[in-house]
Amino acid sequence: MLRIRNFSTVSKRLGKLPAFETVRDKFKFSSETSTIQSILQQKPNKVVLNGWIDAKPKKVGKNLIFGTLRDPNGEKIQLVDSQSFLKESQVEDVVQIIGELSEKKQTQQSTVNIEYELKIIELQKLNQANKKPSQLQDLKADDGAFPPEYRYLQLRLPKYQNNLKLRYEASKNVRTVLDSLNFTEVETPLLFKSTPEGAREFLVPTRGKIDGEASFYALPQSPQQYKQLLIASGVNRYFQVARCFRDEDLRSDRQPEFTQVDLEMAFSSGKDVREVVEKVITSTWNKLHASGTDLHTLDRTGKIIPVSGTEKIINLTYQQVMTQYGIDKPDLRYPDLKLMDLSEFKAYGYTNKEFPVFEVIVLRKAFETVEEFHRDWSYLSNKDNYNYRAPIVVPIESDELGTSWFTKFLPIAAFENPKLITKFLNLRKGDIIIGSTREPSRRLFENPTPLGRARQLITQSKRGKELFRKTDASVAAWVVDFPLFAPVEETAEKGSHYPVYTENAFSSTHHPFTMVNLRDYNKLESDPLSCHGEHYDLVVNGVELGGGSTRIHDPELQNYIFHEILNIKNPEDLFGHLLNAFKMGTPPHAGFAIGFDRMCAMLCGSESIRDVIAFPKSISGVDKVVGSPSTVPASTLDEYNIVSK
Ligand code: ASP
């Protein structure tokens, strides 16, 4: 049945049609205009400029008003008005100005263009702005955050215009590089099926029913399954700048919808994929990074070096990064900030037998006075900053404490030979030693460890950056050899100090389609947690910029993983499409996805992906500009077979 929405037309008019002249004038403009940059180069006498009134115009004489025009590129020029055009102007009015460019006379007031000004001959107001933008003016001056409902005012600022342009340049460059490597961009459906791939999904209700029950699509958390189906379909090298959706708790580097550069390669191994990704990333970085600095990595000795034709991005194993940095995405701009496992010195954690390793990190010359210590570092022992236990943080306030330091750790660790460690650590007044416990290196699932988290907090703090950061360049590493599965954590009781794992329950570290490292194949049955996966992450400056893996293309092995290890009861119903495709000649394949928003944020030198997304959601998932999500009438719910509680 065709449903036509009923809009009332003539019966009830609430408002008056605006006067013809006022509307007509808003459409009177010539679109062929110059930019401030071009007129400053060419210096014509008479110019036409479009733009916004940037700041409240000032009356500076009886018949003289000064104003500022900002053009669509964010450039500004001073306006000189002797005919009261600007008298009624508001900040953010949008105007077309015909004017005369002239060299500026010496004036004190000017802060914008020192040499030229524009004398207004004609001003056409193309749309007015109400008072609100001028009330928000201060935010603009500091490049601060406008209230989210005024995102369009924020986006008018040059910084955001540049970010959006850089994002576009990045997507062009990614496409160019992948095109040169014989990739084909293929779009995959956004209306997908609900499957337990990892994250929580967004459901899309349909009006149809299946066997009398409401039915749903799900928005894809990534095009993972479709891209594997494309490999089955004979697409040899696929990529897509793909929108993905995950209904998870939001943070500054997470949005419910985000963009990935998603790729997959047939007849390829993880190593082949890493080579391609490395080309894409290095080229994009070296062409577009706002600081102009090339992408760097570490060499074998831990020195920071540029990535080049011969110097590839370093491979670090999961065990290496977890034991040295306590986290699987270490910020390597701080190569010297390393954790030390004190087992060799016969010091052990004893408060939980699953967490016997006692590890420390030393911050050298980190404070001078006790006040300074409290000001700069007290957050390190704040429990709220940690998932479970906070580490013990000991400021070495005196040389004596440099020898008796270990007594402060006695509540969590036992020392067989403290003298030897003391000699090794060589603590001096002004140093800080931080210590905590962790699992053994071969079975380390708590990620980050308390010290890994402390290290992360240090690298993110202002003082930490000042004291310990070794470079302004971006430093990248591959993290490889992840465990294929992780134990499932029981919901932690408030205040618990250690994670507790459910017996015999496993989750995929990356996703369920990741291949096991063949050397561990036989352990899949006996000890899944000891198996390594063919999974790799690219980490830049402590951010996971992307991840991928070699996939399983054997239907029986895939079914075994779903059913026997991940305990998925009905893999045929959920993943039958993949299993069937694997039974019909799907080639071996591997792939990757680059977090495109994160990459763009880094390229712009910004901390938050919100800065590179035109209309991001707030931390609670709300888009205040349009007011989404919103409720819908009960009749609509009914149509979608949804009963609202
Ligand atoms: N689909 C994966 C993800 O979104 C990436 C991949 O394995 O290619 O993390």
Side-chain angles (χ1 to χ4, degrees):
M1 188 185 66
L2 187 66
R3 301 272 236 91
I4 299 175
R5 279 207 186 186
N6 220 345
F7 293 107
S8 86
T9 48
V10 275
S11 56
K12 207 177 187 187
R13 286 208 176 108
L14 294 173
K16 238 173 109 200
L17 184 69
F20 173 71
E21 296 71 27
T22 59
V23 174
R24 180 199 55 199
D25 287 355
K26 291 184 176 180
F27 290 84
K28 265 199 205 155
F29 63 97
S30 72
S31 26
E32 286 294 310
T33 55
S34 330
T35 61
I36 292 173
Q37 198 182 30
S38 72
I39 64 167
L40 291 181
Q41 276 160 8
Q42 293 152 12
K43 308 196 179 71
N45 270 340
K46 202 169 159 194
V47 301
V48 185
L49 282 174
N50 285 337
W52 289 267
I53 300 298
D54 188 64
K56 184 96 191 119
K58 268 196 200 131
K59 197 165 167 39
V60 288
K62 193 154 169 266
N63 282 324
L64 194 60
I65 306 178
F66 279 172
T68 311
L69 180 80
R70 187 182 75 245
D71 78 2
N73 292 332
E75 308 272 347
K76 297 177 193 177
I77 191 161
Q78 179 163 321
L79 301 171
V80 179
D81 171 20
S82 52
Q83 297 178 63
S84 300
F85 290 113
L86 295 173
K87 203 166 142 219
E88 303 287 307
S89 285
Q90 291 286 351
V91 174
E92 296 303 313
D93 275 354
V94 62
V95 293
Q96 176 158 90
I97 289 174
I98 301 178
E100 236 174 52
L101 191 67
S102 58
E103 255 182 60
K104 202 166 181 179
K105 305 192 189 77
Q106 276 302 321
T107 86
Q108 296 306 314
Q109 283 103 333
S110 158
T111 51
V112 272
N113 190 310
I114 335 157
E115 295 174 45
Y116 287 89
E117 60 191 14
L118 193 68
K119 187 163 180 300
I120 308 179
I121 302 172
E122 261 178 57
L123 181 144
Q124 182 68 26
K125 199 185 273 186
L126 304 177
N127 216 354
Q128 66 266 41
N130 63 20
K131 285 232 165 67
K132 198 78 199 175
S134 46
Q135 290 161 356
L136 298 171
Q137 184 69 0
D138 292 350
L139 298 173
K140 181 168 92 181
D142 301 344
D143 203 8
F146 282 80
E149 56 271 40
Y150 302 113
R151 180 70 177 171
Y152 36 83
L153 292 181
Q154 181 109 46
L155 289 180
R156 281 181 204 166
L157 300 181
K159 167 178 156 185
Y160 292 88
Q161 293 292 313
N162 289 339
N163 287 0
L164 293 179
K165 284 188 183 132
L166 197 141
R167 183 180 172 111
Y168 170 57
E169 291 300 323
S171 73
K172 271 200 300 189
N173 194 57
V174 165
R175 284 190 165 92
T176 308
V177 177
L178 290 175
D179 186 57
S180 75
L181 297 170
N182 288 326
F183 279 77
T184 307
E185 184 163 14
V186 182
E187 289 171 86
T188 53
L190 289 185
L191 294 178
F192 181 46
K193 169 184 170 178
S194 176
T195 63
E197 196 180 299
R200 193 186 301 137
E201 305 156 322
F202 283 99
L203 287 177
V204 183
T206 73
R207 284 175 292 130
K209 284 190 174 177
I210 297 174
D211 298 334
E213 286 190 37
S215 68
F216 299 86
Y217 294 107
L219 298 178
Q221 36 186 297
S222 83
Q224 183 65 34
Q225 295 176 56
Y226 277 120
K227 70 174 169 173
Q228 292 193 246
L229 289 171
L230 282 174
I231 296 293
S233 315
V235 176
N236 201 46
R237 290 184 157 202
Y238 141 94
F239 89 98
Q240 179 178 194
V241 180
R243 194 58 75 84
C244 306
F245 304 85
R246 293 183 192 170
D247 189 5
E248 290 184 323
D249 294 341
L250 306 179
R251 295 190 307 239
S252 72
D253 64 345
R254 267 206 203 147
Q255 283 278 305
E257 55 180 305
F258 59 96
T259 306
Q260 288 185 341
V261 177
D262 190 44
L263 57 93
E264 197 72 16
M265 295 159 62
F267 302 104
S268 300
S269 66
K271 188 163 166 284
D272 303 321
V273 171
R274 293 201 291 276
E275 264 170 35
V276 165
V277 173
E278 208 158 313
K279 282 194 182 126
V280 172
I281 295 285
T282 317
S283 142
T284 309
W285 229 265
N286 297 0
K287 275 198 190 126
L288 295 175
H289 198 286
S291 74
T293 344
D294 286 357
L295 187 67
H296 281 57
T297 188
L298 295 186
D299 71 6
R300 286 276 145 223
T301 66
K303 209 168 98 209
I304 297 171
I305 51 162
V307 178
S308 67
T310 47
E311 294 295 346
K312 300 284 170 210
I313 296 177
I314 193 170
N315 279 0
L316 302 172
T317 66
Y318 172 82
Q319 189 174 325
Q320 232 175 334
V321 293
M322 287 304 295
T323 52
Q324 292 184 349
Y325 310 108
I327 193 165
D328 64 352
K329 43 179 182 180
D331 192 334
L332 298 169
R333 291 173 298 179
Y334 302 74
D336 306 336
L337 222 50
K338 280 193 184 158
L339 319 185
M340 286 172 269
D341 167 358
L342 295 186
S343 316
E344 312 181 24
F345 295 98
K346 300 203 173 0
Y348 307 102
Y350 63 80
T351 47
N352 180 322
K353 67 175 181 350
E354 311 290 337
F355 293 74
V357 174
F358 177 62
E359 59 180 1
V360 296
I361 186 168
V362 178
L363 306 182
R364 305 277 174 197
K365 298 196 182 133
F367 70 99
E368 285 194 356
T369 60
V370 178
E371 293 72 46
E372 219 177 284
F373 168 79
H374 286 295
R375 187 193 65 201
D376 293 339
W377 304 109
S378 57
Y379 65 89
L380 287 173
S381 38
N382 179 350
K383 186 149 187 336
D384 296 342
N385 288 325
Y386 297 85
N387 287 336
Y388 295 101
R389 58 213 179 283
I392 296 179
V393 181
V394 181
I396 305 297
E397 290 163 15
S398 62
D399 287 333
E400 295 84 79
L401 201 54
T403 46
S404 63
W405 62 277
F406 63 92
T407 57
K408 304 276 185 196
F409 292 100
L410 289 177
I412 58 169
F415 299 84
E416 278 182 28
N417 191 348
K419 267 204 185 134
L420 189 64
I421 316 179
T422 302
K423 194 158 168 232
F424 169 75
L425 291 176
N426 190 20
L427 295 170
R428 293 292 156 96
K429 186 165 175 263
D431 294 348
I432 298 172
I433 179 164
I434 312 168
S436 187
T437 49
R438 68 158 163 85
E439 291 155 306
S441 307
R442 274 178 305 101
R443 264 183 130 77
L444 221 175
F445 293 108
E446 190 187 20
N447 177 12
T449 65
L451 275 204
R453 173 68 181 142
R455 183 185 187 279
Q456 186 184 42
L457 291 169
I458 295 162
T459 60
Q460 289 169 352
S461 71
K462 190 166 164 279
R463 193 76 183 120
K465 285 179 190 156
E466 280 164 12
L467 286 180
F468 306 117
R469 196 157 98 185
K470 284 283 175 320
T471 177
D472 287 335
S474 303
V475 185
W478 288 106
V479 180
V480 297
D481 247 345
F482 279 82
L484 183 58
F485 304 107
V488 173
E489 269 181 45
E490 278 175 18
T491 327
E493 272 171 42
K494 227 182 154 342
S496 59
H497 283 76
Y498 291 94
V500 175
Y501 304 127
T502 314
E503 218 171 305
N504 283 328
F506 312 109
S507 63
S508 299
T509 316
H510 185 46
H511 54 49
F513 318 109
T514 300
M515 181 57 189
V516 62
N517 188 313
L518 284 175
R519 73 169 188 258
D520 294 331
Y521 190 80
N522 290 325
K523 291 195 278 181
L524 277 175
E525 271 185 313
S526 55
D527 185 9
L529 285 183
S530 69
C531 295
H532 293 87
E534 291 288 347
H535 160 200
Y536 33 85
D537 273 356
L538 179 63
V539 174
V540 181
N541 298 349
V543 174
E544 181 196 321
L545 205 55
S549 60
T550 301
R551 325 296 186 188
I552 300 167
H553 63 287
D554 179 291
E556 282 174 32
L557 173 60
Q558 182 68 80
N559 199 40
Y560 180 88
I561 303 267
F562 285 146
H563 201 261
E564 305 304 321
I565 300 189
L566 298 174
N567 208 10
I568 297 172
K569 297 280 179 298
N570 49 347
E572 280 292 342
D573 294 345
L574 297 171
F575 297 107
H577 49 278
L578 270 187
L579 295 169
N580 282 336
F582 292 170
K583 287 175 195 155
M584 298 192 202
T586 298
H589 55 291
F592 196 80
I594 302 168
F596 186 64
D597 308 288
R598 287 183 189 171
M599 177 169 93
C600 292
M602 284 182 152
L603 291 173
C604 295
S606 168
E607 298 275 312
S608 168
I609 59 171
R610 290 203 176 93
D611 289 350
V612 295
I613 297 176
F615 298 104
K617 304 277 190 287
S618 73
I619 204 93
S620 50
V622 169
D623 177 349
K624 284 246 180 139
V625 178
V626 299
S628 72
S630 64
T631 55
V632 295
S635 56
T636 310
L637 289 181
D638 209 34
E639 251 187 299
Y640 286 90
N641 310 308
I642 294 173
V643 184
S644 173
K645 276 204 223 154

